[in-house]
Amino acid sequence: MASNTQNNMNYQPGAQYMHALTLATEAYISQFSKKEVQASAVQIIMQLNQGMALAVENIGLAEAMLEKAVEQAEQLSERGYGGYAQAIGYAVHFNYFISEGLAEAIVLPELLRSYGAKVEQKIASLARQTGIVAIDLPDERTTRLFISWIEQQRVLFELPDSIEQMHPQDIPDIIDDTLDEALHFYPTPVFYDAIDLEQFLALLLAPNTNKKD
């Protein structure tokens, strides 16, 4: 796993990529999402991958595509198509002044898994439309492969597997901030309260901070 650091700038553009990916994915599976919203989410994820493919040969074009994808994803968010991973990302950003994508990259896969069968059909459709899963497989298997792909992107960008600045005593305040932010995003596929969200915030803790100081 990638090591942690407090130098947030080391993680650009990976954090931006994961932020756009999170916003697009959560917009697609939102219970509010319409066909045009889902089409935009598919376009954003495909654009992210095209940018990665171009990065070796034309870094300027890749950066421009990433910037456009982030802008488009933020527009979906502003229209009310968001979810808990985004809300957690913003809460962590406001508390520690680090990129939203760092926290989102950690919690998004587990949130998607926690939704279970309620989102399998949508995630499988997203995986197929974006070409992330190109072979014909059942929805459950396709969903698992898509979630694993998200985890691979975090590793590919060498993003941290925890938020070094975060401590257990911070979790209640961050949950409050998360719920304040997420109020704009209901209905998400599953409704979570403060007790439910604690398990996802705990994922952000470094192993040596699992106990209160």
Side-chain angles (χ1 to χ4, degrees), residues 1-51:
M1 291 293 186
S3 62
N4 300 313
T5 177
Q6 292 185 4
N7 187 357
N8 176 48
M9 295 305 294
N10 289 344
Y11 296 126
Q12 303 292 354
Q16 289 180 302
Y17 177 102
M18 294 307 301
H19 181 53
L21 176 59
T22 296
L23 269 57
T25 301
E26 292 198 311
Y28 192 97
I29 67 173
S30 169
Q31 292 192 48
F32 283 145
S33 63
K34 300 177 181 179
K35 288 184 179 180
E36 62 268 23
V37 172
Q38 293 181 341
S40 294
V42 169
Q43 180 184 21
I44 289 165
I45 293 176
M46 293 180 69
Q47 190 166 275
L48 289 170
N49 283 341
Q50 290 168 3

Side-chain angles (χ1 to χ4, degrees), residues 47 50-51 54-55 57-67:
Q47 190 166 275
Q50 290 168 3
L54 288 169
E57 297 180 359
N58 192 330
I59 188 64
L61 181 57
E63 290 175 346
M65 292 180 71
L66 174 59
E67 183 178 351

Side-chain angles (χ1 to χ4, degrees), residues 180-193:
D180 286 343
E181 180 70 29
L183 285 174
H184 301 290
F185 300 145
Y186 296 152
T188 47
V190 178
F191 180 88
Y192 288 144
D193 60 18

Side-chain angles (χ1 to χ4, degrees), residues 67-96:
E67 183 178 351
K68 183 177 180 181
V70 172
E71 180 181 354
Q72 291 174 336
E74 290 280 6
Q75 289 172 356
L76 288 182
S77 169
E78 290 167 1
R79 293 169 59 188
Y81 301 101
Y84 290 114
Q86 178 186 343
I88 289 172
Y90 282 142
V92 171
H93 167 71
F94 293 144
N95 279 272
Y96 305 114

Side-chain angles (χ1 to χ4, degrees), residues 112-187:
L112 296 179
R113 289 189 181 102
S114 74
Y115 294 148
K118 291 183 180 295
V119 297
E120 272 184 8
Q121 187 175 17
K122 281 189 173 182
I123 294 178
S125 176
L126 178 61
R128 295 178 186 120
Q129 290 185 67
T130 54
I132 302 303
V133 181
I135 56 178
D136 186 17
L137 295 170
D139 286 352
E140 188 272 339
R141 175 63 174 159
T142 303
T143 296
R144 284 195 284 119
L145 288 173
F146 183 79
I147 295 172
S148 295
W149 172 80
I150 293 174
E151 293 176 318
Q152 292 166 9
Q153 304 315 295
R154 181 184 61 77
V155 175
L156 178 65
F157 282 110
E158 298 184 341
L159 299 181
D161 51 19
S162 62
I163 304 301
E164 184 175 282
Q165 301 94 318
M166 187 170 166
H167 298 281
Q169 59 267 31
D170 302 338
I171 288 180
D173 287 339
I174 296 175
I175 288 176
D176 287 344
D177 292 339
T178 296
L179 289 173
D180 286 343
E181 180 70 29
L183 285 174
H184 301 290
F185 300 145
Y186 296 152

